[in-house]
Amino acid sequence: MKPVEANIDGLVGPTHNYAGLSFGNVASEKNALSVSNPRQAALQGLKKMKFMHALGFTQLVMPPHPRPDLRAMRALGFDDITKVPDELLQPLYSASAMWTANAATISPSADTADGKVHITPANMASKLHRTIEANVTATYLREIFPVPDFVHHLPLPSTAMFYDEGAANHMRLCKSYGEAGTEIFVYGGATARYPARQSLQASQAVARLHKLTPSRTIFLLQTAEAIDAGVFHNDVIAMSNERLFIYHEKAYENITEHKKALDEFISIVITEKELSLRDAVKTYFFNSQLVTLPSGKIMVIAPAECEENKNAKTCFEKLVSDGHVSQVHYLNLRESMRNGGGPACLRLRLSLNETELTKINGNFILNDALYETLCQWIEKHYRDRLSVVDLRDPSLAQESLEALSELHRILGIKTEML
Ligand code: SUG
């Protein structure tokens, strides 16, 4: 059985906006209150999915969440969206579920003691606008990966001790897809400026739930310096694929302790001199998708911002000239990038064998026909301009929920959640 890489990308929702909700995420803070273009955002993300599909990867689509989140609104004691104050209205309208690298942690069957794929939806407990994602994420994941073929766990308890932000803080190294791998969990500790968004307790709990082999499980501590420079997730400072692990020299406190376990893989350290932490955060160099093409060649799918930065571009050129990577493809994802989400943030990666692949709900797999349908759906329902002031417009709620209800019909979603 030939195992494959699959990706689930979040389709950007019709309420994509810049509300500055993520303290510690430099782009979100910097672009707070600027005007977004939800239509462009969704089309940019969809184009990436089409690109992956054309390369031969299995590409899945994760629908946007219902926004405004009327369930969360009612749970807070409101019965009318026009009465909700801004500080709650903005989180209830956030389209942040688009960044599916934060949707869950997934361990492939090659790594788990029971030989099954294990899925733990992230609780995203550190931010209100993101923690309301957990239930719907769990529901969508169950639609895509039916029980009992896939094992679904509950999100961890929603409290600081268990802050969990999913695959954005999780990597997997292996000799080749299908072979047992080494899973790496990255967590944060005390910092001076910005909060850590993944806890060690959470990472350890996920490793236990997924029945991983302790000798092939590593826990890396992020440096406070990196978090305080805006590295709010590990995928802003490291990337990995199969045996290749590329990370910034300032990423981890304790990586030397794990040198032996990492020895069987190829580690490439990018120095501060080659690419400063500041430029890593600015360009999202490490938030690239590092993929093995069906031909066996390694490709990087990088944000267009890297092409415009001399040092980032030079680092990629060096990876190519050293033979680690055969090709770099730059993609325009500016709408998402302005909220701190690059190519890797927009996707949840998993490795599946051929049998598991046949068990996925095929309605969510992108093909040319679904791509066309989704483009038309976006053109029909999305605005090309949205500011936080527009969140006060009651017709936006109606537009957004109507669009989602049509999308649920397109994708054949059975669970009632609107
Ligand atoms: O959680 N931005 C997201 C970006 C997530 C990126 N994901 C990964 N690195 N994997 C976040 O900080 C901004 C929303 C706003 O400000 O309107 C936001 O939530």
Side-chain angles (χ1 to χ4, degrees):
M1 280 178 291
K2 199 172 148 284
V4 294
E5 170 180 336
N7 286 287
I8 316 169
D9 275 50
L11 187 55
V12 179
T15 66
H16 158 67
N17 72 92
Y18 302 118
L21 299 176
S22 273
F23 178 60
N25 166 342
V26 175
S28 153
E29 286 185 57
K30 184 171 157 237
N31 295 306
L33 310 187
S34 58
V35 177
S36 67
N37 183 335
R39 187 185 299 162
Q40 267 308 320
L43 292 172
Q44 284 170 359
L46 194 55
K47 227 165 148 186
K48 172 163 93 75
M49 297 190 227
K50 185 163 186 247
F51 180 73
M52 293 298 288
H53 162 66
L55 288 177
F57 291 99
T58 299
Q59 179 64 55
L60 295 135
V61 181
M62 176 85 92
H65 290 201
R67 293 291 178 268
D69 186 337
L70 299 180
R71 288 192 180 178
M73 178 194 80
R74 288 190 200 103
L76 294 172
F78 295 100
D79 54 11
D80 179 350
I81 196 73
T82 63
K83 294 187 191 142
V84 177
D86 281 343
E87 69 274 19
L88 296 177
L89 189 71
Q90 289 166 7
L92 293 177
Y93 258 114
S94 178
S96 54
M98 69 171 84
W99 298 294
T100 49
N102 303 121
T105 306
I106 303 187
S107 294
S109 52
D111 295 354
T112 62
D114 59 3
K116 292 205 161 205
V117 177
H118 283 251
I119 303 172
T120 299
N123 60 28
M124 298 305 292
S126 80
K127 306 258 180 262
L128 174 62
H129 71 291
R130 303 228 54 186
T131 198
I132 58 175
E133 294 168 19
N135 285 337
V136 172
T137 297
T139 307
Y140 282 152
L141 288 170
R142 281 167 187 266
E143 291 264 349
I144 300 173
F145 302 106
V147 178
D149 294 310
F150 297 89
V151 181
H152 293 261
H153 301 282
L154 293 173
L156 296 172
S158 244
T159 186
M161 190 184 214
F162 289 105
Y163 276 172
D164 180 19
E165 307 237 332
N169 296 317
H170 175 250
M171 297 177 284
R172 176 173 187 266
L173 296 169
C174 58
K175 293 248 168 77
S176 69
Y177 280 117
E179 280 186 57
T182 294
E183 297 205 14
I184 305 175
F185 292 82
V186 180
Y187 64 97
T191 54
R193 192 169 177 209
Y194 292 141
R197 289 174 58 169
Q198 179 82 31
S199 79
L200 175 60
Q201 288 283 354
S203 300
Q204 289 171 331
V206 173
R208 276 191 301 273
L209 287 164
H210 291 197
K211 302 184 192 300
L212 302 179
T213 309
S215 60
R216 303 194 70 94
T217 308
I218 294 177
F219 299 93
L220 292 181
L221 172 62
Q222 286 188 288
T223 62
E225 185 181 354
I227 295 176
D228 283 345
V231 179
F232 58 100
H233 288 140
N234 177 63
D235 63 9
V236 179
I237 199 149
M239 56 180 138
S240 63
N241 176 52
E242 286 189 311
R243 53 182 80 212
L244 199 54
F245 179 23
I246 306 175
Y247 63 93
H248 193 275
E249 68 171 330
K250 295 201 168 182
Y252 309 113
E253 288 291 353
N254 60 342
I255 197 153
T256 45
E257 287 167 30
H258 300 283
K259 208 177 162 306
K260 202 158 165 281
L262 292 169
D263 254 4
E264 54 181 314
F265 306 110
I266 304 164
S267 292
I268 297 170
V269 182
I270 306 283
T271 62
E272 177 72 17
K273 201 159 163 256
E274 289 170 305
L275 184 71
S276 65
L277 260 184
R278 196 167 172 274
D279 274 355
V281 172
K282 194 171 134 202
T283 61
Y284 263 41
F285 172 88
F286 292 97
N287 204 258
S288 302
Q289 282 180 248
L290 193 57
V291 299
T292 310
L293 299 174
S295 64
K297 290 190 170 159
I298 310 287
M299 185 189 228
V300 169
I301 298 148
E305 284 74 358
C306 294
E307 202 175 10
E308 294 148 17
N309 179 290
K310 195 166 155 286
N311 289 354
K313 199 162 179 229
T314 305
C315 285
F316 278 134
E317 282 164 359
K318 186 159 185 300
L319 286 171
V320 174
S321 60
D322 288 350
H324 296 299
V325 164
S326 61
Q327 204 184 335
V328 183
H329 182 87
Y330 296 98
L331 268 186
N332 174 6
L333 292 162
R334 290 193 204 277
E335 282 289 323
S336 167
M337 284 284 286
R338 285 161 60 80
N339 247 341
C345 298
L346 285 161
R347 67 95 165 89
L348 177 58
R349 176 172 42 173
L350 59 152
S351 145
L352 295 172
N353 65 35
E354 277 173 357
T355 314
E356 288 154 359
L357 202 55
T358 63
K359 309 282 187 195
I360 294 182
N361 181 341
N363 293 357
F364 292 84
I365 300 180
L366 190 79
N367 54 30
D368 292 341
L370 180 58
Y371 172 78
E372 289 304 329
T373 306
L374 293 176
C375 284
Q376 285 163 16
W377 173 80
I378 293 165
E379 297 288 354
K380 177 174 163 197
H381 293 283
Y382 282 51
R383 297 187 182 190
D384 60 5
R385 230 192 106 82
L386 197 65
S387 72
V388 289
V389 179
D390 299 322
L391 305 181
R392 286 251 145 261
D393 172 5
S395 57
L396 180 66
Q398 202 187 342
E399 272 169 47
S400 161
L401 293 168
E402 265 174 24
L404 194 62
S405 134
E406 188 178 324
L407 182 65
H408 279 196
R409 274 197 302 280
I410 293 170
L411 296 173
I413 292 175
K414 294 187 213 81
T415 317
E416 190 49 61
M417 58 181 91
L418 289 171

